[in-house]
Amino acid sequence: MILIAEQLLNGLQYGVMLFLLAAGLTLIFGIMGVINLAHGALYMVGAYAGTWVALQTGSFWAGLPAALIAAAVTGFVIETLVIRRLYARDHLDQVLATFALILIFNELITIGFGRQPVFTSLPAAFSGSVELLPGLPYPTYRLLIIATGLAVAGGLYILINRTRIGMLVRAGATNREMVRALGVDIRLLYTIVFGLGALLAGLAGYMAGPISAVQVGMGEQILLATFVVVVVGGVGSIKGAFVAGIALGVADTMLRAFLPGMLRQVMNASEADALGIGIASMGIYFLMALVLLVRPRGLFAAGG
Amino acid sequence: MRPLVATLVTAALLFLFFVPMLTDLVGRPSLLALACRILIYAMAAASLNFVLGYGGMISFGHAAFFGVGAYTVGILYAHFASGELLFGFIPGSNQMLITLPAAVLVSGVFAAAIGALSLRTGGVQFIMITLAFAQMLFFFFVALKAYGGEDGIIIRRTNELAGLNMRDRVTLYYVILGFAVLFFLGLWRMVNSSFGAVLRGIQQNERRMAALGFAPYRYKLYAFILSGMGAGFAGALMANFLRYASPDMMHWTKSGELMIMVILGGVGSFFGPIFGAAAFMILETFLAGWTEHWQLLLGAVLLVIVLATKGGINGLLARIFRRGA
């Protein structure tokens, strides 16, 4: 029971992480119609920039703005130089161009920081753990991630549903052409949305640093899961990204935690582990296939 | 076929025939292996181009069929070596004339299942669902401990074919070249058949084709299955060439590379994937030999090609020849 509660929290933490990435990606998808494979690169840039500053200054909190700024600036540069030229292209060109960006960013980071993973320490105030339930101590840093994710979700909800920019974003996700026809400066809107997505990706990357190694290729590992979240949630829907992010995060974590153990009861240990991890890794893709077959546009697709 | 194209194809075939002598002449036998890989990837990329370029279906999971073809050869060889029956009734084999059709069949079955489900969606969702199925297969083979798991499966000897000495690299090259020529002949007929015309029609305007009485779903599914078979065929040859099959062959970045080859060469053109595969492999080989950070340069080259050109290498050549003529 305690173990299940702990894994549920781990799943929630992974889920909000996925949400932070998926929120930006789903807006870029939904509003600009661009498949941005390089979103993981922004996650990586945020992690590296923040961690580097944190190591130089010795302060976790000094790294945070560095991560956000680096990711946002990188996002701005990518948008201006590359993505802007892709809006009118088909998905194929977008996939290829952003795939090229992944190669470029991975190598740039390798040249700058080497191939070795960079490890960081937790901020002092969040290095301990609290006892949530009797017998269930849980690391405060992971709780911080969950709280941050939920706060961002709340903030985005207000931004999207209560502000003028949010209104334009919603309108853009529903019908891009109509927004343009109504005389909205769509280019500015695109840059804002892309910058916001980059910012959130940088935040997620930096937050993930202390609990998983900061290394080249970290972006791709989480990128595919993020795409699954976006597609399951419905392209262009923040609500969908939130629901799908949490659901898939929990499902993935639970499968990984408990499936090998369950299989071990019916077969020998090493085979059970391999098979369990294999099936657990397939889990989210299986769920995506299932959702798309029932609802081809995802759970909460924007637009008609 | 227009006379200019026919002349060029003949010249290219002559060149391919003399590649082993040329690599000997310049004293770089490793280039022969590169030529083999290019031929095999050209077939895989052409298969992808069949759905992507002619059918307008952006499959981001074609490496799965490539890998399934390779694994079919690997698993059949493992059972041939151990003498055990697969599933209790299928004997193993090391005969290329058995393993290649088997690989084509198995990858066709996979393509039928994946295509039938994936084609219910479209657009971005189609890209992602094909990726999802490929990832599922990838993780399945990683977990498949009985056949090597992550490390893949080693094929101690290349499959036998008509008593040829397949250990000889030059012989193997000619075998691969022969299969490639057959493959592209078949593809040429398919592309220029009425089926190919319907497929191109669907890509241009699906609704109009439906109104004309062609069921788009069925035609797209057939194309997807044929394309999966082609990729599986290439994968089976790759397993024979490398003498192993591993989950890496169906990693999503491999699907991406196949896509790059198609786009590099020119989407929806017959010879494009061949140019694309050659350009990509040569670029990769030479950049990797030149600098450790070759991916940076590769990325930059790809970016320039996407942003600055239309129609890839094939489009470029067509423009040059049109200007010359």
Side-chain angles (χ1 to χ4, degrees), chain B residues 251-323:
Chain B
H251 195 251
W252 73 276
T253 50
K254 286 285 168 199
S255 297
E257 281 175 15
L258 288 181
M259 229 184 221
I260 290 175
M261 290 172 194
V262 172
I263 302 171
L264 207 56
V267 178
S269 61
F270 185 81
F271 297 103
I274 307 175
F275 298 138
F280 184 83
M281 300 304 293
I282 291 170
L283 206 60
E284 182 181 315
T285 308
F286 283 90
L287 288 180
W290 184 43
T291 161
E292 184 192 350
H293 301 295
W294 60 276
Q295 292 201 329
L296 181 63
L297 298 170
L298 182 65
V301 170
L302 288 178
L303 206 53
V304 169
I305 288 174
V306 180
L307 293 181
T309 67
K310 276 215 171 73
I313 297 172
N314 196 68
L316 200 66
L317 289 180
R319 250 170 281 155
I320 290 170
F321 280 111
R322 208 167 299 147
R323 203 168 296 162

Side-chain angles (χ1 to χ4, degrees), chain A residues 29 35 37 81-82 85-86 89 91-108 110-111 115 220 223-224 227-228 231 234-235 270-271 274-275 277-279 281-282 285-286 288-289 292-293 296-298, chain B residues 52 58 60 116-118 120-129 131-133 135-137 139-140 142-145 252-253 256-257 259-260 262-264 267 292-300 302-303 305-310:
Chain A
F29 241 1
I35 299 182
L37 291 184
L81 292 182
V82 181
R85 294 163 200 266
L86 296 173
R89 304 288 195 94
H91 290 326
L92 209 52
D93 284 352
Q94 297 166 356
V95 167
L96 188 61
T98 51
F99 190 85
L101 284 178
I102 294 184
L103 295 179
I104 292 173
F105 274 99
N106 279 350
E107 277 311 310
L108 285 178
T110 307
I111 291 170
R115 284 185 207 284
E220 285 92 279
L223 175 76
L224 287 185
F227 266 105
V228 172
V231 170
V235 170
S270 74
E271 268 185 40
L275 192 64
I277 294 296
I279 296 176
S281 309
M282 286 158 72
Y285 299 104
F286 182 73
M288 167 160 94
L292 285 185
L293 293 177
R297 296 173 56 86
Chain B
L52 199 154
I58 306 180
F60 203 173
L117 295 173
S118 304
R120 290 150 149 270
T121 67
V124 173
Q125 281 81 8
F126 181 79
I127 303 180
M128 287 300 142
I129 200 168
L131 174 68
F133 281 116
Q135 284 295 100
M136 280 190 250
L137 281 175
F139 287 117
F140 171 76
V142 166
L144 198 63
K145 279 276 183 231
W252 73 276
T253 50
E257 281 175 15
M259 229 184 221
I260 290 175
V262 172
I263 302 171
L264 207 56
V267 178
E292 184 192 350
H293 301 295
W294 60 276
Q295 292 201 329
L296 181 63
L297 298 170
L298 182 65
L302 288 178
L303 206 53
I305 288 174
V306 180
L307 293 181
T309 67
K310 276 215 171 73

